Amino acid sequence: MTRIKRDFGKIFSKLAAISLAICVIFYLVILNKSITAKTMMTLFTSSATVTLFLWLLWDKLLWKIRFIKRLDPVPNFSGRWEGYYQRFGSESDHKQHLYVLEIRQTYSSIQCSTYQDNGSKSAGVIAELCTLSNEDEGLIFYWQGISTDAEKDEDLPKEYRGVTVLTYSPPTIDGKAKFEGTYFTNRKTNGKVDVDFFSKNLQGRFNAAAVSETPVAK
């Protein structure tokens, strides 16, 4: 497994070059300014401002556009994914439960949140895009969760931690994009996750009405 690195230096240098070109055209061609020390200072100050603006635009939006993202083809997993998880271990019921994964992604960062049908939820502390051993793209995240099972069993900690590793499968003619993978926790439980892409819109909650449309095997 290898981490998918963003080429920040390459992108920033290209945005800086574009910004400088824009400012040169604006000041020296459109405004017809003469080349003086003051003009050069204004030129570089304006170029820095435009570079910052373009970087913010790139980080939030431009990197997702298909013909532009060739500059640095980072996979885009943003959105709401719905399906199920299945727990294993001596304290688990080994049944499939409804599960929601929401991914909020920019070029420079990625955040994961999960919601389960029993009311448990978790937030990713660290998340990384990765290439797995079979060269498939994927996602790994270390998370902290709050469990409702602790209310039924006092021996279980209310807060717990785990790691989830997911493999991405792109959409096909007959189906949606999906994530499949496994997880383990510090409560000595582990399991598998299987979710399909549902929507670009994040809801920040379980929303049983939406998830119930996803068939769950017993």
Side-chain angles (χ1 to χ4, degrees), residues 172-183:
T172 62
I173 297 177
D174 300 326
K176 301 177 180 179
K178 70 184 307 171
F179 274 122
E180 293 178 286
T182 58
Y183 74 90

Side-chain angles (χ1 to χ4, degrees), residues 152-209:
K152 305 173 185 177
D153 188 343
E154 294 181 355
D155 293 332
L156 291 176
K158 184 175 182 180
E159 295 184 1
Y160 61 104
R161 298 175 297 279
V163 174
T164 300
V165 181
L166 300 174
T167 301
Y168 173 74
S169 297
T172 62
I173 297 177
D174 300 326
K176 301 177 180 179
K178 70 184 307 171
F179 274 122
E180 293 178 286
T182 58
Y183 74 90
F184 62 89
T185 76
N186 66 326
R187 298 197 301 186
K188 298 181 180 180
T189 59
N190 62 82
K192 66 178 181 179
V193 175
D194 190 326
V195 290
D196 295 330
F197 180 77
F198 183 78
S199 171
K200 285 292 184 184
N201 299 321
L202 305 182
Q203 300 181 28
R205 58 196 175 100
F206 177 68
N207 191 0

Side-chain angles (χ1 to χ4, degrees), residues 59-206:
D59 190 46
K60 299 295 184 183
L61 177 64
L62 295 180
W63 72 277
K64 300 178 183 180
I65 301 175
R66 183 171 300 178
F67 70 92
I68 295 180
K69 70 180 301 179
R70 293 177 183 175
L71 291 173
D72 193 11
V74 173
N76 177 19
F77 298 146
S78 301
R80 182 178 172 95
W81 303 72
E82 299 184 355
Y84 72 87
Y85 74 100
Q86 185 172 8
R87 292 184 295 184
F88 303 112
S90 58
E91 303 298 327
S92 301
D93 58 13
H94 297 264
K95 295 181 180 180
Q96 293 180 359
H97 298 271
L98 296 174
Y99 178 88
V100 171
L101 167 64
E102 291 196 340
I103 301 175
R104 188 183 304 274
Q105 185 180 353
T106 67
Y107 176 76
S108 60
S109 66
I110 182 167
Q111 298 175 327
C112 301
S113 300
T114 69
Y115 307 91
Q116 302 166 22
D117 58 358
N118 63 358
S120 298
K121 59 183 179 180
S122 70
V125 178
I126 301 174
E128 287 290 351
L129 306 172
C130 59
T131 301
L132 305 176
S133 56
N134 57 3
E135 300 302 319
D136 287 336
E137 294 176 338
L139 175 67
I140 179 171
F141 58 101
Y142 166 73
W143 46 266
Q144 291 183 333
I146 299 176
S147 174
T148 56
D149 292 340
E151 298 174 0
K152 305 173 185 177
D153 188 343
E154 294 181 355
D155 293 332
L156 291 176
K158 184 175 182 180
E159 295 184 1
Y160 61 104
R161 298 175 297 279
V163 174
T164 300
V165 181
L166 300 174
T167 301
Y168 173 74
S169 297
T172 62
I173 297 177
D174 300 326
K176 301 177 180 179
K178 70 184 307 171
F179 274 122
E180 293 178 286
T182 58
Y183 74 90
F184 62 89
T185 76
N186 66 326
R187 298 197 301 186
K188 298 181 180 180
T189 59
N190 62 82
K192 66 178 181 179
V193 175
D194 190 326
V195 290
D196 295 330
F197 180 77
F198 183 78
S199 171
K200 285 292 184 184
N201 299 321
L202 305 182
Q203 300 181 28
R205 58 196 175 100
F206 177 68

Side-chain angles (χ1 to χ4, degrees), residues 20 23 27-28 34-49:
L20 182 59
C23 292
Y27 281 103
L28 302 184
S34 57
I35 301 178
T36 63
K38 183 178 180 180
T39 301
M40 295 301 293
M41 182 64 69
T42 302
L43 188 64
F44 285 109
T45 302
S46 301
S47 177
T49 302

